[in-house]
Structures are given as structure tokens and as C-alpha cells.
Amino acid sequence: MWSAQQMMSGGSSTTQKTPSKTLQLSDPAMLELATKLCTLRSFETADLLQHISRDTMAYRKVCDTPLVGEVLHCSEGLNLDWDLDKQDLQEPEPSMEHMQMQHVDCQISDPGPDPELMEPIQPSVSVSPHGRFERLQEDPNYISHFTRAPGHKGQRRLHCFLLRYFLGGSAFFILGLVIGWFTHTPTHKLPVPPSDSSDLLEELLRGITADKIKALQRSFSSLSDESEEARARYLYRQWVGLGLSDVRLSNHSVLLSVPGSTPNTITDRSSHQCFLPSGIPCDQRGPNDLPMQQFSYAAYSAVGSLQGELVDTQYASVDDLRKAKDSMNLTNQIAVVKLGRAPLLYKLSLLSELGFGGVLLYIDPCDNPPGRHTSHQAFRVTLNPGGNAAIAGETASVGGSLTNLLVQPISAFLAKTLLSSPSSRRGDSCVPLAMPPNTERKTITLTVGNQFFYRKIYNVVGYLKGKRNPDRYVLVGSRHDSDQGGGASAIMNQLIAALTEQTKRGWVPDRTTVFCSWGGSALENIGSYEWGKDNSVVLQSSAVAYVSLNSPVRGTETLRATASPTLLQLTLDIQRRQLLSCIRGGNCPGPNVSSLQLPGDVSFFANQLAVPTIEFAFEQTKAEEMTAEAILRLVNDPVLPFYPLDIALDVQNKFRDKNMVSTPMLSSASTLRDHAAFFQSETMRPANDPKERDPSHVRMLNDVLRDLEKSFIIPQTLPGVYRNLLYSLPGKTPQFSILRFSQESARYCKMASKEVKLNSADQEVLCQLAMNQSLSFILRAIQSAERLVCFGLDLFENDPSDTK
């Protein structure tokens, strides 16, 4: 044990007076500590010294003897200048910074104190600024697992010093950010979206009023420039102002067919009397009749004059044409045809094949809705199946027309005159117009002076981006041509205003809404067709549905809606909601939903891409409210509101005439129904239970629902008939349109084959070919849909939510 005197004699020091109290080694506690410093094992000494260093003790120890065994022997005195309290000395705390130290390095590597590295001096503690411990000499026989470079301790203290400054600065910086956040956070609360879909719908409908729509319609109709470009640019500015962040104005240069400088005429050769298409004599035409005559023409008809006999072909069905063919030579004659349920292009194709040179079209008054009187009105039709007529290819040989027939619409009044038909009314009953038997046919001269030229048409497309599925699009389409007087555009603007207002309150749709206002609609949907064709690759994989505003207001008291089978149930649900509100106010129409071929701009998306479609129309009920609800459901429902069972039921419903259907086809339809029913019940799980909505699973499920209608697209069909088999033409009984016209084609084939004098065997094979091909198309479509439904069922077998 060392004495205090021996320890004091080992070195010299210079004492500096300080106002602080100096700790003396004569104290028993200090003597005991000094003794332990020399007798502790080497690793204990290192540990204690490191603790003392952490507690800001400045020290100096000189050791010039090697380690003997594991005990430290000191031959010289030990000068200690303490900078710590006795309590700290007696109760050292562990330090993680020095856990890796295993022994003391006895080499002298610190020549002197570094004032910049000295710990801060507490004024209440007496210190000796020049006192220090030198490093201990390491035993050469001791193997260390830790290598330390000379001066390592000083560098580490420097690093600690810099780290403390860095951490301190970071703390002040973060504190400043927090204070700034709370200081500049606005005191008003952010808008909160409605809690559920019903509240959101009510908020949405409150923003749609008849007064606002009428104001928008007046603003649109009062434009000084009535050109299509002016209307499109006006809508572009309106949509940007309403809050759509992405609005695009595009144009296409297309070939148009318009009336000529002089009106088209029909001249009776026997009386030499000239008539305008409305039935007014040419010499009695007034200045107010010119706009109507400009409207009465067939776009893309052949141009020229033709003299021929009138042939009453009624609706130009195969049976009607057989009767006409049996009575006379039809070459270069002029057919008088009623517009009816069959597509106009299909009728014209039959008339052209039989050799007719011209066609007069009219609407029989008996086919008009009750209360509608249009006997003296002519009308306009287009022979364009869709898109730019110049790209079709068949226009090259006929100078822009899409047929070799001279086609002209006329009023029912003029048709009655030319056919010498008796009165169409017998009391309260309506008698269809027809040429009386044994009546001498009139010879007329038909003059068509349409003109063709290129012009730009404009589309306006705006996007309201979705959040979870921004690459899934719900299309909403209207038209901005002058025929609608801005009505459809006004409703579209009001829908955009109501939806963007909800986004400002915090609502974000799940899917993207694409608002489209089409140009060139009056000439068979040129704008929508060209835009859809340019974007067909994206639309085939991303378009979810098409909501049509083609004719939202019609002169009928019946609430009518047209929808693809996938959306029939959604349409009925929306109609029931409207009927409930109607019951409270009275004057309630019955629901009327069908899957008929849709006219207007929707045709490209339904017919070419098989995008599920929906359209509401009613005169007295707000069609815009029903449209808004449909849009909201389609963009917001986690699981698309599509019902695959309705497709299977529609297929079976079209097979009522079992004489034409084979047993395998009926069996496939039955299997599709069973699987679709099970699949629809499975889709109700994620639709009704949020716990079942694994994002990737729901996305794949929605893609199956979206693509189900695509199974029913066939590669080719007759002119004017949809490629989408799920849409049908008006009729007393539902039927696949392709089968209906295949039957007619077979009968027509037998009639035409007599002209080329085919033998009976060849005639039967040729005429049955079209029927067999149609049946094959239908069977493959059903089997394709069944496979897709089975894939949808497999999704539930591998549903990740089932394992949770």
C-alpha cells in the first residue's frame, strides 16, 4: 500500500489558485482511491480511468514499470488534479463508449494537454490545468483484440466534440421546424368529405339544378360565332375554369358531306310538278324554308340525277323485296322505303344488290309515338358507319359517297302523294301508308346535289383523376353540335361543376372520369370514332364504362334507359330511386330499360370495344340526376357495379326460339348461367365487406367484370348490325341480331341464287353457310365468357384475405 507522501513525491506540478475548492489527497477517501489505482488489475484500471474521463476528470499518471502478472506496480508518485465531486468518484456509472476497452495502453503518447479538448470547467470545482495522466505502457506479452492508433483517444474526443455540436444543431433545427409548423398551421379545419356514398350523392345532386343548366344553355346558345371550333374552344375554357386540371382540345381533318347550293328535288314526270323533300312545291318555296331544306338530305349519298319508276318496298325486308322482284324489273328503279327497326345500312345493301338506282326514305305516321305529328317534316340521315369517310377506302371510286344509290329523305306527306296512298286515319286507328293494288306507278326524276369537302372537327376531353385506380377510365360523352342547342353541353358542364366541387371538399374518386364533348356527331359520330380509334389500345385495357349524354331529354313521358346487360341492374336501381321520389310528387312513369343498339357517339365504344354503356332519357324527370348517380357509382364503388348473371340470363333469353339452336349451345348457355350466378355471389363479398378488399385481388376482379362483354365481340357482321352480340334490335321477341338477319340472308340468298341459276345442292350449301357461321360465332362467344367467369372464380380460391 502506498503512502500519501510517497505518492506526492513522484512528480511535480504547478498549482493555480482558483476560487473553487480543491480536493486534497489527504482525505481518507482519496487515499483509498489512489491505492486502488495502483493495485487494480489492468483491465479494471482502464475501466475506472475511462469512467473518470467521462465524468470530466483531468488527470495525470506516470507509470514506468511493466505489468507483473496482472497487478500494476508504480515506482513513482502519482499527481492527481481532480475535477469531480466525491459522490461522482464513489459511484461511477457504466459507459457504453468504453465497453470495447480490454486493457490499458501504457505507452506515453500524449505529450501534453490540448486546451481545445479539455472538458468544460465547473466554477465550483478546483482544477489543475497542467495535470494529466499519461498513457500506460502495454505488456508486450499481452495479446490485444483491439488495435488503436496513436492519438486515437484525442481523435475520438474530437469526434465526440463534433458529434455533440452536430446533434445539438440538429435538435435546434427540428425544434424550429416544429415551432414553425404549429405557428403557421391554419386555425380553420380542412374540408371533410361526406362519410358515405349516400351522403356524397346527396351533396352532388344539390349542386345540380335546372336553373343552372338553363343558364349554361343560354350562355352556350348566345355565342356570336356558331362554328364548331368556337363552341369547342368555349367548352375548353369553361372546363378549365370549373377545375379540371387536364383538359385537351384536339382536331381531325375529315371528309364531310353537306347539302349543295341548291336543294335536292323530286319531280313527277307525269304532272311535271317539282317537290322539295318536305313536300312543298318548288315554286312555292319561301325564305324560311331554306334552313329546313338544308337539313333534309342523306350524307354521303351518291350525287346526280336519276329517272325511274317508283317501287313501294315498305320496310325493304326480304319478303317485301321478293314481292317487288316478282312484279317487275328492279334495275335502276327508285324504291320508296319506310324507316323501321332494321338498320338502314342493311336495307340499302339489299336494295343495291337487287339493282335499284335510288331510294326515297320516310317515316310512316303509324310508327310515330302517340301525340307526335311529323307528317310534313323531312329529316337527315347519314350513310357513314362511323369515322372519317375518306379513310374507308371505298370512297375513292365514287367521289366521296359511301354508296352507289341516290338516297333522299322525304316527309310522310310527300310519300303519301307519290304512292297515291289513301288517308292514314280510319277513325281512331292508323292505317300504314302503301301504294294501292293495281295503281299505275309514277315515274319521277330524283336530283341529289350534295357536296364533299374537308373540314376540321374538334373534340374536347377533360380528366378528373382518380386516386387508387387512376388508369381505369369512366367515359362520359356528349356532343357540342348546334342541333342540340347546347342542352347536352350544359348538362355536361353542370356535372363537371358538381363533381369538382366535391373534390375541393376532400373527396377523391377511385377511378378517373374522362369527360368528352364530341364534334362531327351529326354526320355519324366522326369525332368520337376518330378519338376512340386513336386511343383504342389504351381504351381496350383501361375503359370501364361509357355514360352517354347523347340525347338526355326526349319528348316522351316514359322514363327510358338503354344499357348493356352488364349494367342493367345498376340502371334499374337508379330508376327505382327516381321512382320513389316521383311517387311522393305524383306523375310517375314506369321503368323502361333495354339493351338495344344505341345511336350516337356511344356506338363506337359499345360496338367496337365492348365497353359497358348506359344512357338515360326522360322529358319530365331530371336525366342529369340519374346520370350523376351512375357516374358516382362507377367511379367510386370498390367493386364495379357489374352483374355477370344478367349477361347469362340475357343469352338464355335470346334462345327462346330453340328450333335454331343446337343442344351443345343450350348446354353452354346453361353452364354459363350456373357459373355466373356463383361468381356474382362471390363478388358480393368484397363489395359488401371492406375486410375482403385486398387491393390487388379487387383490381383483378374488376378487370374480369370489365372484360366479360368483350367475349361477345365477333369479327364481322352485316352492315348496320353491332359486332357486340349482347345488343339487339327492336322486336317483339328478344333475339341475337346476327341470327335474325342470318335467317333473312338465307332467304335472300335463295332468291338471288335463282338469278345465277345455281343447282339446288349448291344453293342449299351457299345459303346455309351464313347461318352456320353465325351460330359458330355465338357458341364461341359463350364459351369464351364461361372461361373468363371461371378465371374470376379462381381469384377467390387464391384470395389473400382468406389467409388473414
Side-chain angles (χ1 to χ4, degrees):
M1 184 69 63
W2 292 85
S3 65
Q5 183 179 2
Q6 289 174 320
M7 296 174 63
M8 293 293 292
S9 62
S12 61
S13 63
T14 304
T15 304
Q16 180 179 354
K17 295 183 180 180
T18 65
S20 303
K21 180 180 178 181
T22 302
L23 187 61
Q24 301 294 331
L25 286 180
S26 60
D27 295 341
M30 296 298 99
L31 291 174
E32 181 180 357
L33 176 61
T35 302
K36 289 182 177 181
L37 289 176
C38 292
T39 59
L40 287 175
R41 295 170 183 261
S42 61
F43 69 93
E44 293 174 341
T45 305
D47 187 66
L48 181 60
L49 292 177
Q50 298 299 335
H51 290 321
I52 295 173
S53 174
R54 181 182 61 83
D55 290 327
T56 65
M57 182 184 73
Y59 56 86
R60 179 170 184 247
K61 179 178 179 183
V62 179
C63 178
D64 57 0
T65 59
L67 290 172
V68 178
E70 291 183 348
V71 179
L72 177 66
H73 297 275
C74 296
S75 60
E76 295 184 357
L78 186 64
N79 277 348
L80 299 175
D81 291 328
W82 304 97
D83 187 14
L84 76 165
D85 294 335
K86 291 182 180 181
Q87 183 178 0
D88 296 333
L89 186 62
Q90 293 171 359
E91 299 179 0
E93 297 179 359
S95 173
M96 293 299 297
E97 180 182 355
H98 309 294
M99 289 294 290
Q100 59 184 348
M101 295 291 295
Q102 296 183 5
H103 63 280
V104 179
D105 187 350
C106 288
Q107 290 184 349
I108 301 175
S109 58
D110 189 357
D114 188 349
E116 295 181 359
L117 299 181
M118 295 295 290
E119 295 291 339
I121 299 174
Q122 300 296 332
S124 61
V125 180
S126 177
V127 296
S128 175
H130 57 275
R132 67 182 183 277
F133 274 107
E134 303 254 356
R135 293 189 179 275
L136 301 178
Q137 179 68 34
E138 183 179 18
D139 185 354
N141 298 322
Y142 184 82
I143 300 175
S144 173
H145 299 284
F146 176 76
T147 304
R148 178 169 55 233
H152 176 78
K153 180 178 177 181
Q155 294 176 0
R156 184 173 60 199
R157 294 185 65 190
L158 176 61
H159 295 164
C160 294
F161 178 79
L162 296 176
L163 179 62
R164 289 174 184 172
Y165 270 90
F166 175 79
L167 293 178
S170 301
F172 278 108
F173 178 77
I174 295 174
L175 180 61
L177 289 178
V178 173
I179 295 175
W181 170 264
F182 285 102
T183 302
H184 296 283
T185 298
T187 57
H188 64 277
K189 295 182 178 180
L190 295 175
V192 179
S195 57
D196 54 36
S197 58
S198 60
D199 294 339
L200 179 60
L201 177 61
E202 293 300 325
E203 291 288 337
L204 184 64
L205 295 182
R206 286 195 197 102
I208 302 175
T209 64
D211 292 339
K212 291 180 180 179
I213 293 176
K214 291 179 181 179
L216 289 169
Q217 186 173 358
R218 288 193 299 268
S219 175
F220 191 79
S221 302
S222 62
L223 292 175
S224 57
D225 187 354
E226 296 184 357
S227 67
E228 181 177 306
E229 180 181 359
R231 292 193 294 269
R233 293 191 181 279
Y234 174 80
L235 287 177
Y236 175 87
R237 294 190 298 269
Q238 288 280 313
W239 291 10
V240 172
L242 291 173
L244 293 182
S245 58
D246 186 3
V247 184
R248 305 174 188 178
L249 180 66
S250 62
N251 64 80
H252 301 270
S253 181
V254 299
L255 180 65
L256 299 184
S257 173
V258 298
S261 57
T262 58
N264 301 337
T265 59
I266 302 97
T267 304
D268 184 354
R269 302 304 301 174
S270 59
S271 63
H272 301 285
Q273 189 171 9
C274 174
F275 297 96
L276 298 176
S278 63
I280 300 175
C282 297
D283 55 2
Q284 298 180 15
R285 181 182 65 182
N288 297 330
D289 295 328
L290 182 59
M292 181 58 66
Q293 306 312 318
Q294 293 289 324
F295 180 77
S296 305
Y297 76 106
Y300 303 101
S301 165
V303 178
S305 294
L306 174 66
Q307 180 175 315
E309 290 187 10
L310 290 177
V311 181
D312 183 12
T313 59
Q314 290 295 296
Y315 292 100
S317 66
V318 171
D319 294 335
D320 294 331
L321 294 176
R322 181 187 292 112
K323 294 177 182 178
K325 185 176 179 59
D326 293 341
S327 62
M328 63 178 298
N329 181 11
L330 302 180
T331 304
N332 288 329
Q333 307 300 343
I334 299 174
V336 184
V337 181
K338 296 179 183 180
L339 289 182
R341 295 171 178 174
L344 173 60
L345 296 182
Y346 171 71
K347 294 180 179 182
L348 295 179
S349 67
L350 298 180
L351 293 170
S352 178
E353 290 180 11
L354 288 175
F356 281 95
V359 180
L360 297 179
L361 304 172
Y362 73 100
I363 300 173
D364 195 305
C366 297
D367 294 335
N368 283 331
R372 180 178 295 183
H373 304 288
T374 59
S375 297
H376 292 272
Q377 295 180 9
F379 52 93
R380 178 178 60 196
V381 296
T382 177
L383 311 184
N384 183 6
N388 185 2
I391 302 178
E394 63 263 27
T395 61
S397 60
V398 289
S401 62
L402 296 177
T403 180
N404 59 352
L405 297 170
L406 294 178
V407 183
Q408 176 60 49
I410 61 174
S411 68
F413 173 77
L414 179 57
K416 179 177 177 294
T417 301
L418 296 175
L419 294 174
S420 302
S421 176
S423 174
S424 60
R425 288 288 175 183
R426 291 180 183 175
D428 294 334
S429 62
C430 183
V431 179
L433 296 180
M435 181 181 292
N438 303 321
T439 301
E440 183 181 359
R441 295 185 179 91
K442 294 184 177 181
T443 300
I444 67 167
T445 299
L446 173 62
T447 302
V448 177
N450 297 351
Q451 296 178 347
F452 300 92
F453 63 90
Y454 283 89
R455 192 178 72 186
K456 287 185 178 181
I457 57 101
Y458 293 82
N459 295 326
V460 187
V461 179
Y463 298 82
L464 181 61
K465 295 297 179 63
K467 182 178 181 181
R468 293 185 183 88
N469 294 283
D471 59 340
R472 294 296 181 263
Y473 304 141
V474 176
L475 307 175
V476 184
S478 69
R479 52 197 293 187
H480 52 256
D481 54 48
S482 58
D483 296 342
Q484 295 293 319
S489 297
I491 293 176
M492 175 73 87
N493 280 18
Q494 190 58 49
L495 289 172
I496 294 174
L499 288 168
T500 53
E501 179 62 27
Q502 294 304 313
T503 61
K504 295 175 183 177
R505 299 181 180 181
W507 171 69
V508 180
D510 182 82
R511 303 173 187 91
T512 296
T513 311
V514 184
F515 299 97
C516 312
S517 186
W518 309 117
S521 298
L523 299 178
E524 200 55 38
N525 322 311
I526 298 177
S528 59
Y529 194 100
E530 292 300 313
W531 184 87
K533 187 172 59 177
D534 290 345
N535 297 277
S536 60
V537 175
V538 175
L539 294 174
Q540 284 175 348
S541 61
S542 300
V544 169
Y546 186 98
V547 182
S548 174
L549 284 169
N550 184 66
S551 299
V553 180
R554 298 178 187 171
T556 174
E557 293 183 357
T558 302
L559 174 58
R560 293 195 294 174
T562 306
S564 57
T566 306
L567 290 172
L568 285 177
Q569 187 62 49
L570 174 64
T571 308
L572 286 171
D573 291 344
I574 295 174
Q575 281 193 342
R576 290 191 187 103
R577 183 180 180 279
Q578 288 294 324
L579 291 176
L580 286 176
S581 62
C582 177
I583 290 173
R584 303 184 186 101
N587 190 21
C588 302
N592 183 3
V593 183
S594 63
S595 294
L596 302 178
Q597 288 192 187
L598 290 168
D601 296 288
V602 68
S603 62
F604 175 82
F605 304 97
N607 185 30
Q608 303 293 331
L609 303 179
V611 176
T613 58
I614 186 172
E615 177 179 311
F616 294 96
F618 187 50
E619 184 180 36
Q620 298 182 7
T621 300
K622 297 178 180 179
E624 61 272 12
E625 291 188 2
M626 294 182 285
T627 303
E629 184 172 353
I631 295 171
L632 184 61
R633 291 287 306 277
L634 290 168
V635 301
N636 225 37
D637 282 11
V639 177
L640 288 170
F642 294 172
Y643 295 85
L645 180 58
D646 287 342
I647 291 181
L649 293 174
D650 182 73
V651 169
Q652 285 192 318
N653 197 33
K654 288 182 169 68
F655 282 156
R656 288 185 178 180
D657 186 3
K658 295 183 172 55
N659 296 327
M660 300 177 54
V661 185
S662 63
T663 301
M665 189 173 294
L666 291 175
S667 177
S668 295
S670 178
T671 303
L672 175 62
R673 175 178 176 173
D674 294 340
H675 289 166
F678 187 34
F679 179 49
Q680 183 165 310
S681 66
E682 290 289 272
T683 61
M684 293 298 101
R685 289 166 47 190
N688 297 325
D689 187 0
K691 296 180 181 179
E692 298 278 348
R693 296 173 190 166
D694 175 72
S696 60
H697 173 261
V698 171
R699 183 177 173 88
M700 289 188 292
L701 173 62
N702 284 332
D703 286 349
V704 172
L705 294 172
R706 176 203 64 193
D707 292 339
L708 197 54
E709 286 198 15
K710 292 181 173 62
S711 301
F712 292 89
I713 287 286
I714 59 177
Q716 60 186 10
T717 185
L718 298 172
V721 179
Y722 266 22
R723 291 175 55 213
N724 190 335
L725 294 175
L726 297 177
Y727 291 89
S728 58
L729 293 164
K732 295 181 180 179
T733 58
Q735 187 180 15
F736 284 109
S737 298
I738 189 174
L739 288 183
R740 171 181 170 181
F741 291 107
S742 294
Q743 289 176 309
E744 287 199 359
S745 296
R747 296 198 303 270
Y748 175 81
C749 175
K750 293 178 181 179
M751 178 181 66
S753 62
K754 295 179 181 179
E755 298 296 324
V756 295
K757 298 180 180 181
L758 294 175
N759 61 53
S760 59
D762 293 338
Q763 174 181 327
E764 187 67 25
V765 172
L766 180 63
C767 297
Q768 192 63 29
L769 183 61
M771 175 64 68
N772 292 339
Q773 187 182 42
S774 299
L775 291 173
S776 177
F777 285 155
I778 295 173
L779 179 60
R780 286 202 296 266
I782 295 173
Q783 293 172 343
S784 175
E786 181 187 349
R787 287 192 295 269
L788 188 58
V789 169
C790 290
F791 175 76
L793 289 172
D794 290 341
L795 293 177
F796 291 95
E797 296 295 330
N798 303 312
D799 186 0
S801 61
D802 290 341
T803 62
K804 295 179 181 178

